[in-house]
């Protein structure tokens, strides 16, 4: 069910939709020819690959029980929206902004953050987390505390 904000739209699957979404995911993953949409009048439209790939990612996340937020790249977020997106507190986000970790502009007394800057920060943060986890796992393996065969890191 969509929940609209000024700069984004959030979708969360309702429990009754889960089986249909999982079925759709299986269908999209098994697709061998170019996918198409069929309108109620029977008109068929081929899906461009970029739309198909985006749809696959959205369906996969929703089939896994995750909510989805669509944010156009050219939009700006408030500090609260950006904090919610990063799943951090607003005061922590303000600290990141003031440290220069994320670019922002001021509109009057209010800070605005471009969605692409938030996405770039999130990708960098996630890559650093993955790197640190890999390094920690390697340390644990070297020290004999971690069995690689039974605990693989997802890549």
């Amino acid at each position: 069910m969509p929940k609209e904000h000024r700069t984004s739209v959030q979708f969360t699957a309702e429990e009754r939709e889960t089986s249909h979404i999982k079925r759709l995911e299986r269908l999209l993953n098994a697709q061998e020819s170019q996918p198409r949409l069929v309108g109620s009048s029977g008109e068929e439209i081929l899906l461009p690959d970029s739309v198909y790939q985006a749809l696959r990612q959205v369906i996969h996340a929703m089939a896994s029980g995750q909510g989805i937020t669509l944010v156009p790249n050219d939009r700006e977020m408030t500090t609260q929206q950006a904090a919610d997106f990063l799943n951090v507190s607003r005061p922590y986000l303000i600290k990141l902004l003031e440290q220069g970790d994320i670019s922002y502009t001021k509109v009057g007394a209010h800070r605005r953050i471009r969605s692409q800057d938030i996405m770039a920060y999130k990708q960098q943060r996630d890559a650093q987390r993955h790197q640190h986890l890999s390094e920690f796992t390697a340390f644990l393996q070297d020290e004999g505390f971690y069995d690689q065969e039974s605990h693989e890191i997802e890549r």
Side-chain angles (χ1 to χ4, degrees):
M1 168 172 271
K3 178 181 172 185
E4 293 194 39
H5 295 278
R6 285 196 310 245
T7 59
S8 64
V9 181
Q10 294 180 338
F11 297 92
T12 305
E14 294 179 11
E15 191 173 325
R16 63 183 167 77
E17 300 173 318
T18 303
S19 64
H20 297 292
I21 291 171
K22 288 182 180 184
R23 183 171 170 229
L24 182 56
E25 181 182 33
R26 286 190 301 273
L27 181 69
L28 288 173
N29 288 336
Q31 191 68 32
E32 293 183 14
S33 62
Q34 187 168 4
R36 58 190 91 235
L37 288 178
V38 179
S40 58
S41 65
E43 177 185 5
E44 291 187 12
I45 302 168
L46 293 177
L47 285 179
D49 190 58
S50 58
V51 172
Y52 175 64
Q53 295 305 324
L55 181 61
R56 285 186 66 192
Q57 289 182 20
V58 167
I59 295 297
H60 175 71
M62 291 180 86
S64 301
Q66 299 175 22
I68 298 295
T69 302
L70 299 176
V71 182
N73 282 336
D74 64 343
R75 297 297 172 123
E76 290 184 332
M77 294 183 183
T78 65
T79 53
Q80 187 61 59
Q81 289 169 328
D84 291 346
F85 181 79
L86 293 174
N87 200 26
V88 299
S89 69
R90 186 176 169 277
Y92 181 74
L93 176 77
I94 300 292
K95 180 181 168 187
L96 294 173
L97 297 176
E98 290 175 354
Q99 290 175 176
D101 292 345
I102 304 171
S103 299
Y104 70 96
T105 57
K106 282 197 116 176
V107 178
H110 302 283
R111 295 174 184 90
R112 295 291 182 260
I113 305 108
R114 295 181 324 162
S115 59
Q116 60 258 41
D117 291 335
I118 289 293
M119 292 299 294
Y121 174 80
K122 183 179 184 312
Q123 289 172 346
Q124 177 187 14
R125 179 191 69 180
D126 292 349
Q128 286 176 343
R129 284 179 175 174
H130 184 73
Q131 178 64 32
H132 291 142
L133 181 59
S134 295
E135 290 170 3
F136 186 59
T137 301
F139 169 77
L140 291 176
Q141 288 171 346
D142 291 344
E143 298 298 318
F145 293 111
Y146 190 79
D147 179 9
Q148 181 180 6
E149 292 177 9
S150 62
H151 297 92
E152 280 294 317
I153 295 177
E154 269 188 51
R155 294 184 188 241

